[in-house]
Amino acid sequence: MDTIVFGNFAVWEILIAAGVIAGICFLWPVLKRALSEKKVPPHAQIVKCGYCGWQGQVSRLAGRCPRCNKSIGDQKAKEYKK
């Protein structure tokens, strides 16, 4: 392991550097995903259903609970009544 491979670098030094680089490449996306805020699109909203307790993201225009199909949220696209 003390064999000089390139310049003054030994095999074990190159293996350590490769391991550190591989670890950074693996951990970077995991840390980035864990530390970033979840963004809600402008046409959606986070709500909790008062009937069944489901919680999640629904459309602002036609918000319906996916579990019980009750109306939740802003409901900007109401039915047209004559």
Side-chain angles (χ1 to χ4, degrees):
M1 291 298 241
D2 290 332
T3 305
I4 302 298
V5 177
F6 180 75
N8 292 332
F9 297 108
V11 173
W12 65 273
E13 292 172 333
I14 293 175
L15 289 175
I16 289 173
V20 168
I21 291 171
I24 290 172
C25 290
F26 175 74
L27 289 177
W28 180 255
V30 174
L31 289 174
K32 188 175 177 183
R33 190 176 323 133
L35 297 177
S36 67
E37 291 182 15
K38 294 187 178 185
K39 297 178 183 173
V40 178
H43 62 277
Q45 61 185 336
I46 304 292
V47 293
K48 183 174 181 178
C49 181
Y51 298 100
C52 67
W54 177 85
Q55 185 175 353
Q57 182 175 319
V58 296
S59 169
R60 285 188 187 276
L61 301 177
R64 305 277 272 165
C65 176
R67 186 181 292 169
C68 65
N69 203 28
K70 299 287 185 183
S71 296
I72 53 176
D74 290 345
Q75 290 273 325
K76 291 182 181 175
K78 298 281 185 186
E79 279 186 28
Y80 177 73
K81 295 181 182 177
K82 287 186 178 182

